Amino acid sequence: MKNPEGTDQKKRGGLRYWFRHFDEKHRVSVRSRRENEEVWHFYISPLRATLAALGLLIVLFAVVVTAVVYTPVLDKLPGYPGRQARALLMENLDRLDSMEQDVRIMQRYANDVSLILAGEVPPVSVGRSVDTMTHDRALVPPSAADSLLRAQLEGPGRYALNVAGAEAGGEAVSRREFASPVRGRITETFDPLHGMYGVEVEPDGAQQVLAVLAGTVVVDQWTPSDGNVIAIQHADGYLSCYKHVGESLRRTGDRVQAGEALGYIGSESDPHAGEDFVFELWIDGAPADPQNYIIFQ
């Protein structure tokens, strides 16, 4: 049997020898097994062997770091967040930021619509930039031909570009084709100073409530004070609001065309049949007099 103590002593002796002769050269030879002759040899010390091993480790580390940084090798490893995963993560973060911005805009819009339905004026947005430049920015001085062309385009006529004309009272009237929501007699006119942001109409019997312009239904709800309320968002900042509708035929998100039925009013089954119909028209968040746009009789 082998003596374990003798083996440990040989190991300790070998280590002591290497540490004692750490910088001393040793001959390493390669001999032929068949002829027992030396084929090749070289000299090396433990110090040089250690330095060579450290140099090899440094080179391998540099190669691995270069491959990780400048090549898509990590993308090939399953479950490892490589360059494509990081790019996808940044793209998703950008999408979440855009969605959060859209949600804030929609929430602000819903709050403005709620204020309009409650009979209040929504606050004016202050997020627009203000031009603080005070110097004259006219690059070309006006000429007589330019003034004549401007008068033809901005004034009344076949080629007028402005979307609003003027009545005898001086108030702007849109040239859009507005349909009348109901037929009847106006019992209360537009008076925003006293909380009347539209007109109150006494309908001529049971009839349909029609959309004044094409748009999208943004509100369809019932309130104890106004009954069924429908609000439609139109193009160019127009919003029409219909209150005391007896029976609503539309839901939020529906697309409607000008003159399409939104509901009924004046029927015997209408719980608000004794109350007059109220119509409001808002332009860019401000109330407008519907009589300047619509003929109700």
Side-chain angles (χ1 to χ4, degrees):
M1 297 180 62
K2 295 182 179 181
N3 188 1
E5 296 180 358
T7 303
D8 295 339
Q9 290 178 358
K10 288 181 180 180
K11 291 181 179 179
R12 288 195 297 269
L15 292 176
R16 283 196 300 268
Y17 175 82
W18 283 107
F19 283 115
R20 189 179 305 167
H21 303 84
F22 192 66
D23 57 347
E24 183 178 346
K25 290 185 178 181
H26 294 73
R27 175 170 175 159
V28 179
S29 63
V30 178
R31 305 179 67 88
S32 173
R33 182 177 181 182
R34 179 181 300 175
E35 300 176 358
N36 196 19
E37 294 180 357
E38 185 178 57
V39 178
W40 179 71
H41 71 275
F42 66 95
Y43 293 92
I44 189 172
S45 64
L47 176 61
R48 290 185 177 181
T50 303
L51 293 177
L54 291 176
L56 180 61
L57 290 177
I58 292 174
V59 171
L60 290 177
F61 178 77
V63 171
V64 171
V65 171
T66 303
V68 169
V69 174
Y70 296 102
T71 63
V73 64
L74 294 181
D75 295 334
K76 307 300 181 182
L77 299 179
Y80 192 87
R83 188 175 301 177
Q84 294 180 356
R86 290 194 294 270
L88 182 61
L89 177 60
M90 296 303 298
E91 184 179 353
N92 290 335
L93 290 177
D94 292 340
R95 290 179 178 176
L96 288 176
D97 184 69
S98 300
M99 292 176 62
E100 183 179 2
Q101 181 69 17
D102 292 340
V103 168
R104 286 198 295 266
I105 294 175
M106 294 175 62
Q107 183 64 39
R108 185 167 60 249
Y109 177 79
N111 293 337
D112 292 345
V113 172
S114 299
L115 291 175
I116 292 173
L117 296 178
E120 302 178 5
V121 179
V124 180
S125 175
V126 295
R128 299 178 180 177
S129 60
V130 179
D131 188 3
T132 58
M133 299 178 67
T134 58
H135 62 278
D136 187 9
R137 293 180 293 275
L139 301 180
V140 180
S143 62
D146 177 74
S147 301
L148 180 60
L149 178 61
R150 184 182 296 274
Q152 291 177 354
L153 295 179
E154 293 183 351
R158 180 179 179 183
Y159 301 103
L161 295 181
N162 57 342
V163 295
E167 281 189 340
E171 297 184 359
V173 178
S174 174
R175 297 186 179 183
R176 292 172 172 269
E177 294 293 337
F178 283 86
S180 177
V182 296
R183 298 182 308 275
R185 182 177 61 88
I186 295 179
T187 58
E188 188 171 351
T189 58
F190 179 75
D191 189 5
L193 296 179
H194 294 83
M196 188 60 186
Y197 299 103
V199 293
E200 190 173 285
V201 182
E202 181 182 357
D204 295 338
Q207 56 182 292
Q208 293 179 335
V209 179
L210 307 180
V212 296
L213 288 173
T216 302
V217 178
V218 294
V219 173
D220 174 36
Q221 64 180 10
W222 182 90
T223 62
S225 58
D226 297 327
N228 289 321
V229 178
I230 300 175
I232 301 177
Q233 180 66 60
H234 311 286
D236 300 330
Y238 286 81
L239 177 75
S240 59
C241 183
Y242 313 77
K243 297 181 179 180
H244 299 298
V245 180
E247 181 181 356
S248 176
L249 302 177
R250 300 294 177 177
R251 296 294 179 266
T252 303
D254 290 351
R255 289 283 303 171
V256 296
Q257 298 297 325
E260 285 193 9
L262 304 177
Y264 299 98
I265 191 171
S267 61
E268 296 181 356
S269 60
D270 182 6
H272 295 269
E275 300 179 5
D276 291 342
F277 172 77
V278 177
F279 175 77
E280 298 177 2
L281 183 64
W282 297 75
I283 304 176
D284 293 331
D289 188 355
Q291 288 185 279
N292 292 335
Y293 300 84
I294 301 171
I295 300 176
F296 290 89
Q297 294 181 350

